[in-house]
Each structure stands twice: as C-alpha cells, then as structure tokens.
Amino acid sequence: MAGYMPARADFMEEFDNYAEWDLRDIDFVDDDSDVLHALKIAVVDIYHSRLKERQRRKKIIRDHGLISLRKFQMLERRYPKEVQDMYDAMRRFARVLGPTEHDKFIESHALEFELRREIARLQEYRRVGIQTFCSAKVYDRLKRSREEERKKRIMLSEVLQYIQDSNACQQWLHKQAAIDAGLNPVVAAISSSAAGRRSAPPLNLTGLPGTDKLNEKEKELCQVVRLVPGAYLEYKAALANECRRQGGLRLAQARALIKIDVNKTRKIYDFLIREGYINKA
C-alpha cells in the first residue's frame, strides 16, 4: 500500500493527518477561567476521539490484509465475476464483521454460486434426455461447435448486411478487429464514436506570447491546430533550418524532427509548403 512503511509498521501519512494542529496552541495555565479550562478539556477529548478513529481504521486495514493490496486483488480474481461483484458490494460491511467471519461469508456465497451453476447444468442435461456423464461430454462438445457455427452465421449475415454501406462496413471491421485483439467491442464502438465527434473549438490566441509575430494565416493555423504561437514559431524555425540544410524536406523527416501529434505535423508541414517557407525533398 502506498505510504506504508514496513520497517515501522506504520503509515507515512495518517488518517486525519492534521488532527494534532488543533492542540498546538493549547496551554493549561493556573489563571484559566472555568469556561476556558472546560473548553480546552473538550478540545482534548475531541482529539482523543479522532485518535481512536485513526486506530480503528488501522486495525481494519491490518486485520483484513489490505496493506498488501496487490495480493488482496489476486485473491479476489480466483472467484467468478458474479462473486467478485458481490464481493465489491459487501466490502463495505467488512468493518462490521471480523476478517475471519467476512471471509467465511464470501466463501459460502462462492460455494452457493458454484452449486447453483452445477445444478443448472445437470437440469439442462435432464431436459435434453441425457442420463450418463459420457453422453454429457459429447453434448457439451456438440453444443460448443453449434455455438461457434452460430457465431459464424451471424458474422456472415453482418457482412452481407453491411457490405453495401461503406461506413457500416468500416464499423464492422473495427468491431471484428477489437474482438480479435481481445478487446470489448462495446468499448471499441464507444472509442470510434468518440473519435467521430466534432473537433475541439479553435484555440483563443488572445494574450499568448508570440501572437504578434504571426500573420493572419499563421494565426488561423494555430487556432485550428490548437497550437500556441511560441511552439509554432519554434517548429517553423526547426523545419526551415533543416530544409535549408538538406535542400528539401519530406513529411517523414518533419515528423521525426518535431515530436507532436502526426496529424498536427502534417497540417504544419502542408501549410509551410503552401506558403513557401520550406520545399519538398
């Protein structure tokens, strides 16, 4: 766990880390009035309650093994996803139960889930008329093959449906590439839709250093590309010097020279070519 010091068995930053600040200016003297003395005692009592809460949280962390968080997460992954979701939901009650009781509670639910899944599998065998485990193995193998064939038919129908629409075909190809890469196709679809959204608004150059050194076309470029004038002038000088040194400049050389987004590099390169600041190699 971040901030834990094993040699001291303590944390670098405590819970309610600045609780002691409320006591730094308190000093008990003989000439204090009864009200002031009672007020100082109340502040000390509040500080003691905050210390008890700090120790309570430390005890929960140590008792439940939360110091080694990576090991704790690895133990969680041995459960099925449904049990992991239940584990996350019940984690907040771990402070109520002890560590042993909480682990027994989770293990009992994991065992219940396994039993329910096994019962559902056996009931499926009974519905289809299977009476031996040997027949069950054959049934499972044929079921997997049928599922694979069904996925292939669905894939073929999608191809035939989308092949007439170039945009839909492109989305389908991205989806299949995400599936082949082991990604979630829903996440890939969200990413592709986010990439297709409208671009960010133009950059406001008001008050930025170097704006007065740009002409109107360069200002427009910086606004569209969302590049500050100082950086544009630096990239422009670097590309111009390299072009003079080599007698010309290719786009690949420009991308190797300025390490920014490749799309921004292309726009800057095309602009400088169009305006005559550099020449193609």
Side-chain angles (χ1 to χ4, degrees):
M1 178 178 287
Y4 182 74
M5 297 177 289
R8 292 177 54 184
D10 209 344
F11 295 90
M12 185 179 302
E13 184 173 346
E14 300 282 1
F15 169 76
D16 200 359
N17 197 48
Y18 299 100
E20 289 77 10
W21 282 30
D22 295 337
L23 300 176
R24 58 181 179 176
D25 296 329
I26 291 181
D27 188 15
F28 289 89
V29 295
D30 296 334
D31 57 348
D32 285 343
S33 63
D34 294 340
V35 175
L36 183 59
H37 183 77
L39 181 61
K40 291 180 179 180
I41 292 295
V43 173
V44 174
D45 289 339
I46 293 172
Y47 172 68
H48 284 166
S49 65
R50 295 164 79 177
L51 285 183
K52 290 179 182 178
E53 178 63 19
R54 181 185 294 174
Q55 294 302 321
R56 188 184 73 86
R57 290 174 179 260
K58 284 184 180 180
K59 186 175 184 301
I60 291 174
I61 291 175
R62 292 193 177 101
D63 291 348
H64 289 272
L66 300 179
I67 292 175
S68 181
L69 191 58
R70 181 173 298 177
K71 182 180 179 181
F72 184 76
Q73 292 173 345
M74 290 177 63
L75 291 175
E76 280 188 7
R77 294 194 188 102
R78 61 180 177 166
Y79 298 119
K81 185 180 184 304
E82 293 81 359
V83 179
Q84 291 182 15
D85 295 339
M86 190 270 296
Y87 203 123
D88 292 337
M90 299 302 297
R91 184 176 296 156
R92 67 194 68 182
F93 299 106
R95 66 183 69 184
V96 180
L97 299 173
T100 305
E101 290 79 6
H102 183 70
D103 290 342
K104 288 181 179 178
F105 177 77
I106 299 299
E107 288 290 344
S108 63
H109 278 74
L111 178 60
E112 178 188 359
F113 174 78
E114 293 293 338
L115 290 175
R116 287 180 179 273
R117 186 167 60 180
E118 183 66 17
I119 290 172
R121 188 170 68 91
L122 295 176
Q123 288 176 342
E124 181 184 0
Y125 292 157
R126 173 171 290 186
R127 283 195 303 270
V128 297
I130 295 176
Q131 298 180 354
T132 63
F133 285 106
C134 182
S135 301
K137 291 180 181 179
V138 176
Y139 171 76
D140 289 336
R141 185 170 64 253
L142 293 176
K143 182 180 178 181
R144 285 194 298 269
S145 63
R146 286 195 301 268
E147 187 66 22
E148 292 175 358
E149 290 295 331
R150 187 181 66 83
K151 290 181 179 179
K152 290 180 181 179
R153 289 196 299 270
I154 293 175
M155 185 182 303
L156 181 60
S157 64
E158 288 180 352
V159 172
L160 296 176
Q161 179 182 356
Y162 293 145
I163 197 168
Q164 302 297 331
D165 189 348
S166 60
N167 293 329
C169 184
Q170 192 70 18
Q171 292 179 2
W172 182 86
L173 290 174
H174 283 301
K175 176 183 175 182
Q176 296 304 317
I179 294 175
D180 293 340
L183 302 176
N184 189 349
V186 176
V187 176
I190 294 174
S191 301
S192 62
S193 63
R197 295 172 185 167
R198 59 189 181 88
S199 58
L203 179 66
N204 186 8
L205 303 181
T206 305
L208 293 180
T211 305
D212 54 339
K213 299 179 182 180
L214 305 180
N215 56 36
E216 293 301 325
K217 293 183 178 180
E218 290 176 327
K219 291 180 181 178
E220 182 179 356
L221 174 69
C222 291
Q223 289 176 340
V224 173
V225 180
R226 297 186 61 81
L227 191 66
V228 295
Y232 164 74
L233 293 172
E234 180 181 348
Y235 299 151
K236 174 184 174 183
L239 294 177
N241 292 334
E242 186 68 15
C243 180
R244 284 194 298 269
R245 190 175 66 85
Q246 297 188 5
L249 193 66
R250 298 195 307 272
L251 177 59
Q253 294 172 324
R255 286 175 174 170
L257 194 62
I258 54 177
K259 302 296 184 180
I260 59 174
D261 181 68
V262 293
N263 296 321
K264 292 185 178 182
T265 305
R266 171 177 284 279
K267 291 179 181 179
I268 295 172
Y269 177 81
D270 292 341
F271 174 80
L272 296 179
I273 291 289
R274 188 167 58 251
E275 295 299 319
Y277 293 109
I278 60 176
N279 301 318
K280 284 187 178 181

